[in-house]
């Protein structure tokens, strides 16, 4: 939940209001897609929820924990244990295999999922011992999704996860993300410029000028495989 969350950056003589009085409640097991033009506050919102940045004012609650006033050591624990990150660029360690990339994330938390089982769930059971250079873009992104999920976090944040992928590969990654949300009962937020992806969302939030301008529940979300762009 976000309650009156504002983020302002001081840029010398100018104040930039990246997020203004944001109020948002996200049910567990729902996929929320965030749309908006560049500079609308999408990435700022993700960074605040992920504990990468701090709100100027307001309160943020994740899984019963108020994130807003955590000190730095507790904020590190929050990022480690409560949040899985999936980015546009895969950020895999090139000298490690798919299995080792996921195992590295698993070692950060006290109660991880089995790395091999997670890689099998994202369709990479036969590629676990391949290095990133031996994987396609879609396979690398699925390793990145597995790396986020192996920590068993209640919150998964996806920033343009299909931005570097072709259509067919993007659909396969979206199917994995959808299952992580609906089958494993996580809160998943997905930021994208691709408005078509909103058709698979349970909730669509639009941002403009740092404000949430609409919050719409989708009564009939499409399966990812039915999206066309």
């Amino acid at each position: 939940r976000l309650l009156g969350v504002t983020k302002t950056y001081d840029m010398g003589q100018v104040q930039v209001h990246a997020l203004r009085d944001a109020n948002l409640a996200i049910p567990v097991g729902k996929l929320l897609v965030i749309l908006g033009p560049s500079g609308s506050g999408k990435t700022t919102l993700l960074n605040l929820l992920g504990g990468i940045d701090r709100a100027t004012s307001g309160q943020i609650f994740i899984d019963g924990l108020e994130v807003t006033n955590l000190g730095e050591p507790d904020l590190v624990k929050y990022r480690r244990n409560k949040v899985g990150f999936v980015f546009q660029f895969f950020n895999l360690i090139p000298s490690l295999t798919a299995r080792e990339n996921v195992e590295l994330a698993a070692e950060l938390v006290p109660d991880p999922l089995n790395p091999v089982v997670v890689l099998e769930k994202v369709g990479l059971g036969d590629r676990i011992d391949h290095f990133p250079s031996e994987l396609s873009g879609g396979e690398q992104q699925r390793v990145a999704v597995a790396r986020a999920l192996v920590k068993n976090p209640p919150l998964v944040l996806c920033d343009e996860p299909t931005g570097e992928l072709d259509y067919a590969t993007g659909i396969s990654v979206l199917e994995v993300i959808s299952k992580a949300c609906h089958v494993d009962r996580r809160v998943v937020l997905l930021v994208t410029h691709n408005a078509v992806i909103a058709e698979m969302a349970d909730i669509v939030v639009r941002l403009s000028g740092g404000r949430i301008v609409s919050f719409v529940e989708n009564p009939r979300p499409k399966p990812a495989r039915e999206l066309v762009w």
Side-chain angles (χ1 to χ4, degrees):
R1 288 185 298 133
L2 284 82
L3 301 176
V5 173
T6 293
K7 178 61 182 179
T8 303
Y9 295 99
D10 286 314
M11 310 291 288
Q13 305 257 334
V14 179
Q15 284 193 326
V16 177
H17 301 284
L19 201 64
R20 303 168 185 254
D21 194 29
N23 293 281
L24 192 62
I26 311 163
V28 172
K30 298 295 184 181
L31 174 62
L32 187 148
V33 168
I34 303 173
L35 300 175
S38 295
S40 62
K42 304 187 302 298
T43 298
T44 296
L45 177 57
L46 282 198
N47 287 345
L48 294 176
L49 288 169
I52 295 173
D53 206 348
R54 292 181 179 275
T56 304
S57 61
Q59 295 175 288
I60 299 172
F61 297 89
I62 304 291
D63 197 34
L65 174 71
E66 183 176 356
V67 179
T68 328
N69 296 320
L70 292 179
E72 193 57 38
D74 289 329
L75 206 55
V76 170
K77 291 178 184 176
Y78 165 74
R79 289 193 296 264
R80 178 187 300 155
N81 297 323
K82 298 287 189 180
V83 188
F85 295 96
V86 182
F87 301 103
Q88 177 176 354
F89 302 103
F90 319 128
N91 297 325
L92 301 178
I93 298 174
S95 60
L96 301 181
T97 64
R99 183 210 304 257
E100 290 166 340
N101 267 281
V102 177
E103 285 176 343
L104 189 63
E107 291 172 3
L108 297 175
V109 296
D111 189 27
L113 303 177
N114 184 302
V116 173
V117 171
V118 176
L119 282 163
E120 288 172 346
K121 277 189 174 183
V122 301
L124 292 175
D126 59 344
R127 308 287 280 170
I128 60 175
D129 291 319
H130 287 67
F131 292 95
S133 61
E134 300 170 321
L135 301 173
S136 69
E139 288 170 337
Q140 290 185 60
Q141 187 61 295
R142 279 184 278 164
V143 174
V145 173
R147 181 182 55 193
L149 298 180
V150 77
K151 299 195 301 176
N152 201 21
L155 176 65
V156 178
L157 303 176
C158 307
D159 194 356
E160 297 283 2
T162 63
E164 291 295 301
L165 306 177
D166 61 62
Y167 167 74
T169 307
I171 293 297
S172 69
V173 169
L174 290 174
E175 287 181 323
V176 170
I177 290 171
S178 177
K179 287 178 184 176
C181 177
H182 299 122
V183 177
D184 297 336
R185 301 285 297 166
R186 306 179 197 280
V187 171
V188 178
L189 275 74
L190 191 157
V191 161
T192 182
H193 283 94
N194 187 346
V196 175
I197 293 176
E199 296 176 11
M200 68 176 282
D202 299 294
I203 300 168
V204 181
V205 169
R206 293 181 182 271
L207 291 176
S208 180
R211 295 187 184 278
I212 295 175
V213 295
S214 70
F215 178 100
V216 178
E217 296 190 47
N218 184 357
R220 290 180 294 278
K222 286 185 178 181
R225 64 182 176 274
E226 293 183 10
L227 302 182
V228 178
W229 66 80

